[in-house]
Amino acid sequence: LGRECTPADLAAHPTLARLSAFLQDPVQPSPLVCLRASGPGIPLFCIHPAGGLITAYLGLTKLDRPIYAISAHGHPESIQSMARDYARLIHQTCGDNPLALLGWSLGGVIAQAVAGCLEGQGHQVVALAMIDPPRPGLRLDRERSVLALLHNYSQQTPSLSELRLHCRGLATEHLLQLLEARGWLAEGVLRGSQFLQALKVYQRHGELLQQHQPVQVQAPIWMWRAKSAVRADYWRPFSAGPWREFSLGG
């Protein structure tokens, strides 16, 4: 049909019949995608990591609760402006009912800001799950941006030091060729223009992270971090409610 699908499109139209109907009569897609429409549990809203994709959350549909995911859109001026926008989408979907938030990596940072916005509007956030959130102020340089991009498109990712070694002195327009040659990204997954646009989004999100100042929230926080990650102590002062910390392998 001559149209390209984003991961959000595929998530919103999970059957061939629904995807075909969407491709033949497309409408402006909503950044909020329903991954599971029903279940007795409290609704869970998942916030995209750097790059804006929601593919990391597609495996959560076995949880017995309504599940939604929000992908990036527009040109936000700050993480706080993103949070206000996402809080509006959540309110439109959930009304005044209790809800839970989940965010991986940058998504955890944004989810924490969303919790603050929702609480300011009187909403009850019963849980805020943050998975390996980076520390605001961290500089997400080109190589960190590339590595974050690879985590969304490949399972054969190098270490940051290895990536820096091979990218040293390499012009950005030649990065895709290097990644494919090293086997870190399957050939054809991204075209040159798609790769450069995706990298631009990652770098912009990195700039927003560097500028962000978190606010304290009342929601219970469940902090998940990899054993090899920097400790999550930075986030503790921004929690006025219950706090639980878990370690993951890796």
Side-chain angles (χ1 to χ4, degrees):
L1 296 173
R3 296 192 70 241
E4 294 184 356
C5 291
T6 67
D9 294 333
L10 296 175
H13 309 88
T15 67
L16 288 176
R18 289 175 60 181
L19 183 60
S20 176
F22 165 74
L23 291 174
Q24 293 181 54
D25 186 22
V27 296
Q28 185 65 30
S30 169
L32 189 146
V33 175
C34 179
L35 302 181
R36 181 184 173 113
S38 62
I42 290 174
L44 174 65
F45 290 84
C46 308
I47 311 298
H48 66 82
L53 301 181
I54 59 171
T55 49
Y57 305 121
L58 298 183
L60 297 179
T61 54
K62 294 181 180 179
L63 298 178
D64 200 9
R65 66 180 63 228
I67 301 174
Y68 303 86
I70 300 178
S71 60
H73 64 286
H75 304 281
E77 297 179 353
S78 66
I79 285 179
Q80 198 60 37
S81 68
M82 295 169 73
R84 289 191 295 268
D85 185 28
Y86 297 173
R88 175 184 58 81
L89 291 172
I90 291 170
H91 176 73
Q92 290 174 351
T93 303
C94 194
D96 295 326
N97 296 309
L99 60 100
L101 295 169
L102 167 67
W104 167 51
S105 190
L106 179 68
V109 180
I110 303 171
Q112 198 267 354
V114 171
C117 290
L118 290 170
E119 289 177 349
Q121 298 166 9
H123 287 273
Q124 182 185 6
V125 180
V126 300
L128 168 60
M130 303 172 69
I131 304 175
D132 270 349
R135 179 178 57 83
L138 177 69
R139 180 174 175 266
L140 193 65
D141 61 14
R142 187 185 71 166
E143 282 69 32
R144 286 183 183 272
S145 298
V146 170
L147 190 59
L149 184 155
L150 287 176
H151 282 308
N152 269 312
Y153 289 98
S154 174
Q155 297 190 7
Q156 302 295 326
T157 57
S159 65
L160 180 60
S161 59
E162 185 179 9
L163 184 64
R164 290 195 193 284
L165 176 65
H166 288 279
C167 289
R168 186 177 300 154
L170 189 66
T172 299
E173 56 266 28
H174 299 311
L175 281 175
L176 179 58
Q177 184 179 357
L178 168 71
L179 299 177
E180 291 179 341
R182 301 291 304 179
W184 295 331
L185 184 67
E187 191 171 342
V189 169
L190 290 171
R191 295 196 299 269
S193 59
Q194 293 174 320
F195 172 79
L196 293 175
Q197 179 58 35
L199 183 58
K200 184 178 179 180
V201 173
Y202 278 90
Q203 291 177 311
R204 176 54 181 159
H205 284 168
E207 293 171 358
L208 298 182
L209 173 66
Q210 193 171 6
Q211 301 163 5
H212 181 57
Q213 177 60 44
V215 297
Q216 193 175 69
V217 299
Q218 301 292 326
I221 292 181
W222 293 10
M223 178 68 68
W224 299 83
R225 63 179 184 85
K227 292 179 180 178
S228 59
V230 175
R231 287 192 58 83
D233 296 346
Y234 172 86
W235 287 99
R236 190 66 181 89
F238 299 102
S239 169
W243 171 281
R244 297 183 67 185
E245 189 170 334
F246 307 87
S247 292
L248 302 171

